[in-house]
Amino acid sequence: YNDIRSLYFAYSSMSNRDSLSFYGDSATHLNPYDSEIVVSMASYCNDNNKPLQAGKICSLYLLRDSTKLLVLRQYGYSSYLLEDYSEAYKTYKKLEEKGFDNYESTFIMGISLAKLHKNELAYDYLLRAATHKSFKDYISLHYLGTLCLEMGKNDEAVIYLSQAIELQKPDSSLLAILYKEKAQAYYNKQNYYKAAKEFEQSAIYNPDDPITYYNIAQMYGATGDKKS
């Protein structure tokens, strides 16, 4: 076992995927309770689109020792990747209770709660995630903005989506989506003039979307082409 373990870490340092996977599988089969191997192999599986294998490796280890935070983290992340949002939230909640509070934990708990339709709690966690990144992270701002839009927090949706837009420039495809979501927030507030202007911005970045032009016409029709 010690030889296989040594070979696993040797190939891990050389980024030799085939050999790493072979010796990692062998090591976890021979000794599924070596936490260093379990964490390393689970991390490799999660990072290489094998979350089911990562979850199985961690689950077996956690049957004996449910207190190892690094194993819990990889198990929670594999659950999230597998879209088992209930299990992901419960696992990261355990980590939070043990002091694991950072961008990763708050973001994954926020997304998981949103997927479980627990929007108020999801909002709190996504706001914390954005705070961890000093509101300079596109992904958390975008999710926070769209969640606010869904919850009817339209003023906040405009703020967070605007911040996401500034961070995402000059990615035209994403900007088209962000401006459209911002327009929706203004539409919800019955500010049709500003909604029209945001749809116009969306059209700049995606000029082939006929629905956007229809929305522009509808917004101006609702305002009589006057600012509201």
Side-chain angles (χ1 to χ4, degrees), residues 136-148:
K136 298 295 183 183
D137 173 61
Y138 161 76
I139 295 175
S140 57
L141 286 169
H142 186 195
Y143 276 107
L144 182 57
T146 53
L147 180 64
C148 286

Side-chain angles (χ1 to χ4, degrees), residues 32-203:
Y33 305 113
D34 183 332
S35 63
E36 190 176 7
I37 287 280
V38 168
V39 170
S40 178
M41 189 60 183
S43 177
Y44 165 79
C45 291
N46 278 331
D47 291 343
N48 287 275
N49 201 30
K50 298 178 180 179
L52 184 61
Q53 184 178 352
K56 289 179 179 178
I57 293 169
C58 293
S59 293
L60 185 56
Y61 180 93
L62 292 169
L63 287 174
R64 174 177 287 189
D65 179 8
S66 62
T67 64
K68 195 74 173 179
L69 297 187
L70 293 177
V71 178
L72 272 173
R73 178 190 176 191
Q74 293 301 328
Y75 175 70
Y77 188 48
S78 69
S79 299
Y80 173 74
L81 294 176
L82 290 167
E83 300 181 358
D84 186 347
Y85 298 113
S86 178
E87 189 68 14
Y89 171 72
K90 286 190 293 185
T91 304
Y92 274 96
K93 187 64 178 175
K94 289 179 184 176
L95 289 166
E96 181 186 42
E97 290 167 355
K98 296 181 182 296
F100 188 80
D101 179 17
N102 57 19
Y103 172 78
E104 175 193 324
S105 63
T106 51
F107 179 78
I108 288 179
M109 282 196 283
I111 295 298
S112 297
L113 287 163
K115 295 291 187 180
L116 295 168
H117 308 293
K118 298 179 179 180
N119 288 349
E120 290 291 343
L121 196 52
Y123 169 83
D124 292 338
Y125 278 106
L126 287 176
L127 184 59
R128 284 169 57 186
T131 303
H132 276 298
K133 292 288 188 176
S134 301
F135 294 90
K136 298 295 183 183
D137 173 61
Y138 161 76
I139 295 175
S140 57
L141 286 169
H142 186 195
Y143 276 107
L144 182 57
T146 53
L147 180 64
C148 286
L149 188 59
E150 183 178 336
M151 296 173 69
K153 296 177 181 284
N154 296 302
D155 290 334
E156 289 185 66
V158 169
I159 292 170
Y160 298 131
L161 291 170
S162 295
Q163 291 175 324
I165 285 168
E166 289 304 311
L167 291 169
Q168 200 54 36
K169 289 178 178 177
D171 189 321
S172 59
S173 60
L174 285 173
L175 283 171
I177 294 171
L178 286 165
Y179 276 115
K180 190 178 293 186
E181 290 171 341
K182 193 176 171 186
Q184 182 66 46
Y186 279 124
Y187 171 78
N188 290 347
K189 294 171 63 179
Q190 298 182 348
N191 192 329
Y192 303 121
Y193 180 82
K194 286 189 176 181
K197 289 299 182 183
E198 299 300 335
F199 278 126
E200 285 177 344
Q201 288 296 312
S202 180

